[in-house]
Amino acid sequence: MEGKSYQRLPRVKIREMRDDYMKFELRDTDASVANALRRVMIAEVPTVAIDLVEIEINSSVLNDEFIAHRLGLIPLTSDRAMSMRFSRDCDACDGDGQCEFCSVEFHLRAKCHSDQTLDVTSKDLLSSDHTVVPVDFSDSAGMESSEQKGIIIVKLRRGQELRLRAIARKGIGKDHAKWSPAATVTFMYEPDIRINEELMDMLTLDEKKAWVESSPTKVFDFDPKTEKVVVVDPEAYTYDDEVIKKAEAMGKPGLVDIIAKEDSFIFTVESTGAVKASQLLLNAIEVLKQKLDAVRLSEDTVEADDQFGELGAHMRGG
C-alpha cells in the first residue's frame, strides 16, 4: 500500500548481566536483524590483540612461532579500541602500524635463576599504555588459584631466558579469531507453550508423569497437589519435539502446542574479557548502524547516478 511504513522499533530487555556474561531479550524484530547482531558481535566489533612479535632471546623449549601464536591469543583490555585507528588506515605512521594512534607496545623479560620452574605469564607483559593490558582473570574474592598468576605463556628452567617486544593492533574477528571479543554468542526463538487442558485431564497420573519425563530438559513439571502438568521453564525447551512425539504415541495429538515467536529472541553473550559483555552489545549496535549508514549512502549514490548519468560516476572517479 502506498504510504504504508514497515518500520519496526526493536526493544532490548536485560535479564542478567555481569562483566563477562549477559542474557537479554530482543523483541519486535525478525531473525535477520537478530542474526546480523550476533554475527557483528562475534566478527566485527574491534578489539586489540598482539599482531607483531620481535623475539630477542628465546632459550625455552618452545620455538619462536609457538610463543608468538600464544601471545596473539591473550585477550587485552580493549575499551578504547573503537576510537583507535586500523594500522592500514593510519596516516600518522603511513600504515606501518607502530604509532600511538594505532598500536600499543609490550615488552617481556624473564629469566629463571633457580631450580624451581618459572611460569612466564601474561602478567609479565609490560604495556606502554595502561588502558591496554592483559585481561585479569583473578578471583575478586581473593582466593588463591593458578588463574591469579595470569595466562601461562611458557615455562622456564634454570638458565633459560625469554626476552621480546610485541606490538598490539586493532582488528576484528573476521580477519583473525584473536580479535574476536566474544567467547560465544547465541540466540533462540522465545517459545510459546500451551497445554491442552482437556486432553491432559484425560490422561492418568502415570501417563502425565511419563509425558513430563519425556522432555530431555526440565520444561514441564507435575504438581502432586493439583495433579496438573505445569510449564516451569519454557526457555529450557530445545525444539526437540520429544513431548509432541510422546503425546502422539499416547494417542493424544494436540496435547501441547509449541510455537516459536518469530519476533522475540533470547540472547546469551559470553565475553573473552577484552570488553565487558554490556559494552560488547553497545559496540555491536554502533557497528551495525555504521554498516546500515554505508548501505544508505550507496543507495543515494546509485540514485544520483540514475539522475545525472555518466557525470555523477565521473565525479566519483568511476
Side-chain angles (χ1 to χ4, degrees):
M1 291 176 61
E2 186 177 352
K4 184 175 180 180
S5 173
Y6 292 94
Q7 181 182 11
R8 306 183 75 176
L9 300 175
R11 295 182 294 116
V12 173
K13 179 181 178 182
I14 307 297
R15 288 192 176 182
E16 184 180 351
M17 185 167 62
R18 301 192 298 270
D19 284 351
D20 61 346
Y21 175 86
M22 182 168 62
K23 190 172 186 179
F24 65 91
E25 301 171 6
L26 178 65
R27 298 182 182 276
D28 298 337
T29 188
D30 55 31
S32 64
V33 175
N35 195 46
L37 183 61
R38 181 189 69 87
R39 290 172 65 94
V40 168
M41 279 194 278
I42 292 173
E44 298 197 53
V45 172
T47 62
V48 180
I50 291 176
D51 194 41
L52 174 66
V53 179
E54 297 176 351
I55 295 182
E56 300 175 23
I57 300 175
N58 176 24
S59 56
S60 71
V61 295
L62 300 184
N63 59 45
D64 295 355
E65 292 80 5
F66 204 120
I67 292 175
H69 183 260
R70 291 180 66 83
L71 289 170
L73 294 176
I74 294 174
L76 307 176
T77 54
S78 305
D79 295 331
R80 75 179 188 94
M82 291 287 285
S83 61
M84 287 179 64
R85 303 174 186 174
F86 286 102
S87 58
R88 60 180 178 270
D89 302 326
C90 185
D91 53 5
C93 61
D94 296 327
D96 186 46
Q98 297 192 42
C99 73
E100 60 180 324
F101 300 105
C102 66
S103 67
V104 177
E105 187 171 331
F106 288 85
H107 289 273
L108 188 151
R109 292 179 177 84
K111 186 172 183 179
C112 182
H113 298 282
S114 67
D115 291 332
Q116 186 174 0
T117 301
L118 174 66
D119 292 340
V120 181
T121 71
S122 56
K123 290 195 174 182
D124 294 313
L125 283 168
L126 303 178
S127 174
S128 62
D129 186 342
H130 70 278
T131 64
V132 181
V133 295
V135 174
D136 184 7
F137 293 101
S138 60
D139 189 355
S140 59
M143 299 294 290
E144 285 292 334
S145 68
S146 60
E147 289 184 347
Q148 280 191 301
K149 301 176 183 178
I151 300 171
I152 294 181
I153 300 170
V154 67
K155 295 186 176 185
L156 303 179
R157 295 302 299 267
R158 175 187 284 272
Q160 293 180 338
E161 183 178 4
L162 179 62
R163 190 184 305 170
L164 60 84
R165 170 178 173 266
I167 301 296
R169 296 169 178 154
K170 175 181 178 178
I172 58 175
K174 184 185 289 186
D175 295 332
H176 194 287
K178 67 184 178 183
W179 279 301
S180 177
T184 181
V185 180
T186 64
F187 74 84
M188 63 173 287
Y189 288 97
E190 183 177 4
D192 183 14
I193 303 176
R194 300 177 183 178
I195 297 174
N196 188 322
E197 297 295 345
E198 293 183 4
L199 290 177
M200 186 62 72
D201 290 339
M202 296 172 63
L203 299 179
T204 65
L205 296 182
D206 290 339
E207 287 177 330
K208 289 180 181 179
K209 293 178 180 178
W211 183 80
V212 168
E213 293 172 357
S214 68
S215 176
T217 52
K218 190 69 173 179
V219 180
F220 308 94
D221 197 9
F222 177 75
D223 189 342
K225 294 182 180 179
T226 61
E227 297 185 351
K228 296 280 188 181
V229 174
V230 294
V231 180
V232 291
D233 187 5
E235 293 173 20
Y237 186 66
T238 57
Y239 296 95
D240 46 66
D241 291 342
E242 290 297 325
V243 290
I244 295 175
K245 294 175 183 176
K246 183 67 173 178
E248 292 174 350
M250 290 179 170
K252 295 291 187 293
L255 180 63
V256 64
D257 188 22
I258 303 175
I259 301 174
K261 297 181 181 179
E262 295 185 354
D263 65 345
S264 183
F265 309 91
I266 300 167
F267 274 77
T268 301
V269 179
E270 294 182 22
S271 168
T272 61
V275 293
K276 292 182 179 180
S278 57
Q279 192 62 44
L280 173 57
L281 173 61
L282 295 175
N283 290 354
I285 293 173
E286 182 61 31
V287 170
L288 193 55
K289 286 169 60 179
Q290 293 173 4
K291 293 172 74 70
L292 292 173
D293 287 341
V295 171
R296 188 181 298 113
L297 179 60
S298 66
E299 289 179 351
D300 293 342
T301 303
V302 171
E303 291 177 2
D305 287 350
D306 292 339
Q307 184 176 358
F308 297 106
E310 295 182 1
L311 177 61
H314 176 72
M315 293 176 64
R316 292 187 292 106

